[in-house]
Amino acid sequence: MRKISESTVRRLSLYLRFLEHFAAQGQTTISSAELARRGGTTSAQVRKDLSFFGSFGKRGLGYSVSELTARIRDILGLRRTYRVVLVGAGRIGSALVQYPGFRQRGFHVAAIYDKDPKKIGSRWNGLVVRDIRHLDGDLGKEPSDIAIVVTPAESAQEVVDRLVHAGVKAILNFAPVQLAVPADVVVKSVNMALELETLSFALANR
Amino acid sequence: MRKISESTVRRLSLYLRFLEHFAAQGQTTISSAELARRGGTTSAQVRKDLSFFGSFGKRGLGYSVSELTARIRDILGLRRTYRVVLVGAGRIGSALVQYPGFRQRGFHVAAIYDKDPKKIGSRWNGLVVRDIRHLDGDLGKEPSDIAIVVTPAESAQEVVDRLVHAGVKAILNFAPVQLAVPADVVVKSVNMALELETLSFALANR
DNA sequence: GGATGTGAATGTCTTCACAGCT
DNA sequence: AGCTGTGAAGACATTCACATCC
């Protein structure tokens, strides 16, 4: 497939959210202009984004809400559900486990690991926090495509190495470090402090 | 000032993190190539990023770690500290209040608001959750440049309107909605589900 | 008539490559 | 010699504008 830019993928996710909203309101058809208005972009951008994957609209009419929803879910790989393991039973981990947005989208947190004996064994949203030593064995029995890493910076790379070794192919990283992974593994890093810094930059430069 | 791209600002944040790391190890000088290696980019990119703001290096030598640190902190507006108010005393809010990365960077969470009577009055990391009705009055007495919005999607726009009215100029938004604000207010939205979807896209398209 | 799909034009970001200091 | 700083080239992303089809 042609190389698709990260921004296109992010916009598709947004469009999907809006489509679900429109569907809930009983709207059956939608134009690129309307999607653009909602997403803070242009109608040409919407059509271009979609055009990388096919032509889903009807000229003069727009797009069928239900069909476009299905196609985007397809494109984003959201037909299936994903088993997600979470490593690090700290505060952010705790918030993420219960985040309803994950479940709704088919991301199912199946296990939580930590190395702190004080945390191991405690219940989190119906899941028992397991000893990180079981990580490899567990993943051998029940593989997981996606892992969320919420450990301190110091332990993140080591955890990631073990995840990769156990066959995890995609990692959402909240630890403030640059992670090294093989080429066939995808890492997406989220760094709250960095987001705030883009704001302070904006405040300082006006 | 010339228009600086978001990616440049994000990379500067990263460089800053690496510089602090190098400083902690007693390293006094650093090359663009070394910063690039750490940040997963190229030396030319590093030099270009910096060149928008001045020339901080010495040819043949590289950059002084301490000087470059100071300059980047300056550029990012990190000389001062920021009072941050947090709206929404849910799980993500709870995690953020205690996030050490904020404090370290000079972002000081000064107040938390919620509208749920069950939450109002409870203590969070030394702060008492206040009734959102006091938001406008409080900000009148003690202004805040930055707010973090962690409310449900439905209430986010209303909260943002009040924040903007009370003079907040920068908003970090965790609610999964597109927010409307005046041109002089900056919004940065973080959406966890969307991050996971970029991963599922990557998994589905290989 | 109305909205899509898409080449072409424009704009933005990244990489190259080398002159210029130290 | 070594590494920065930066125009110029190249790659990539967005916007324009219009032929095409419902």
Side-chain angles (χ1 to χ4, degrees):
Chain A
M1 180 196 292
R2 224 207 83 166
K3 170 75 169 47
I4 303 298
S5 76
E6 164 119 10
S7 17
T8 289
V9 177
R10 297 182 78 88
R11 282 191 300 265
L12 289 176
S13 281
L14 282 177
Y15 303 157
L16 180 55
R17 217 152 256 105
F18 302 146
L19 285 166
E20 287 165 350
H21 181 79
F22 288 126
Q25 304 201 339
Q27 199 171 334
T28 59
T29 188
I30 180 113
S31 69
S32 57
E34 178 72 4
L35 274 175
R37 208 178 49 73
R38 282 293 198 121
T41 178
T42 67
S43 65
Q45 180 75 79
V46 172
R47 297 198 300 277
K48 183 68 86 180
D49 285 337
L50 296 173
S51 77
F52 296 133
F53 303 94
S55 36
F56 311 134
K58 285 208 183 13
R59 291 164 199 243
L61 277 172
Y63 302 87
S64 147
V65 170
S66 64
E67 194 202 317
L68 189 54
T69 302
R71 300 309 309 258
I72 295 183
R73 288 185 61 82
D74 234 21
I75 292 164
L76 295 177
L78 299 177
R79 274 248 201 112
R80 49 167 295 202
T81 61
Y82 292 87
R83 277 178 51 88
V84 176
V85 300
L86 197 145
V87 184
R91 286 179 232 296
I92 301 184
S94 141
L96 292 177
V97 172
Q98 319 196 32
Y99 184 57
F102 287 169
R103 237 309 141 81
Q104 279 165 28
R105 292 306 180 123
F107 299 102
H108 183 77
V109 177
I112 309 172
Y113 298 89
D114 205 293
K115 71 174 174 194
D116 181 350
K118 286 199 285 293
K119 286 174 182 159
I120 293 165
S122 62
R123 279 197 162 276
W124 280 42
N125 204 33
L127 288 172
V128 175
V129 176
R130 286 178 65 72
D131 190 323
I132 183 117
R133 280 182 294 179
H134 299 134
L135 181 66
D136 310 60
D138 289 0
L139 284 174
K141 281 178 232 134
E142 295 200 282
S144 230
D145 288 322
I146 302 182
I148 303 182
V149 174
V150 211
T151 64
E154 309 79 67
S155 2
Q157 183 65 58
E158 184 206 324
V159 164
V160 165
D161 290 344
R162 295 178 60 182
L163 289 166
V164 167
H165 185 254
V168 168
K169 291 298 178 202
I171 292 168
L172 184 59
N173 169 44
F174 286 82
V177 277
Q178 195 78 6
L179 297 173
V181 292
D184 67 330
V185 176
V186 204
V187 175
K188 184 100 239 298
S189 285
V190 175
N191 185 326
M192 311 286 185
L194 190 147
E195 306 297 339
L196 272 186
E197 283 170 15
T198 68
L199 292 183
S200 70
F201 174 81
L203 291 175
N205 296 273
R206 52 165 83 227
Chain B
M1 180 195 294
R2 222 208 87 166
K3 169 77 168 46
I4 302 298
S5 76
E6 163 117 11
S7 17
T8 289
V9 177
R10 299 181 76 88
R11 281 191 300 264
L12 289 176
S13 283
L14 283 177
Y15 303 156
L16 180 55
R17 217 152 258 103
F18 302 145
L19 285 166
E20 287 167 348
H21 181 79
F22 288 125
Q25 304 201 340
Q27 199 171 335
T28 60
T29 189
I30 181 115
S31 70
S32 58
E34 177 71 5
L35 274 175
R37 208 179 47 73
R38 282 291 198 122
T41 179
T42 67
S43 65
Q45 180 75 78
V46 172
R47 296 197 301 276
K48 184 67 89 178
D49 285 337
L50 296 173
S51 76
F52 296 132
F53 304 95
S55 38
F56 311 134
K58 286 209 181 15
R59 292 165 200 241
L61 276 172
Y63 303 87
S64 146
V65 170
S66 64
E67 194 201 320
L68 190 54
T69 302
R71 300 310 309 258
I72 295 183
R73 289 184 62 83
D74 232 21
I75 292 164
L76 294 178
L78 298 177
R79 276 250 200 111
R80 49 167 293 202
T81 61
Y82 291 88
R83 278 177 49 88
V84 176
V85 299
L86 195 145
V87 184
R91 286 180 230 296
I92 300 183
S94 141
L96 292 177
V97 172
Q98 319 196 34
Y99 184 58
F102 287 168
R103 236 311 140 81
Q104 278 166 27
R105 293 304 179 128
F107 299 102
H108 183 76
V109 177
I112 310 172
Y113 297 88
D114 204 294
K115 71 174 175 194
D116 181 350
K118 285 199 285 292
K119 287 174 182 159
I120 294 165
S122 62
R123 277 195 164 278
W124 279 43
N125 204 31
L127 287 172
V128 175
V129 176
R130 286 178 65 74
D131 190 324
I132 182 119
R133 279 182 295 180
H134 299 133
L135 182 66
D136 310 60
D138 288 359
L139 284 174
K141 280 176 234 136
E142 294 201 282
S144 230
D145 287 322
I146 301 183
I148 303 182
V149 174
V150 212
T151 66
E154 309 80 67
S155 2
Q157 183 65 57
E158 184 205 324
V159 163
V160 165
D161 291 344
R162 293 177 62 182
L163 289 167
V164 168
H165 184 253
V168 168
K169 292 298 178 203
I171 293 168
L172 184 59
N173 169 45
F174 286 82
V177 277
Q178 193 78 8
L179 297 172
V181 293
D184 66 330
V185 176
V186 205
V187 175
K188 184 100 241 297
S189 285
V190 174
N191 186 326
M192 312 285 186
L194 191 146
E195 307 297 339
L196 272 187
E197 284 170 13
T198 68
L199 291 182
S200 69
F201 173 81
L203 290 176
N205 297 273
R206 54 167 82 229

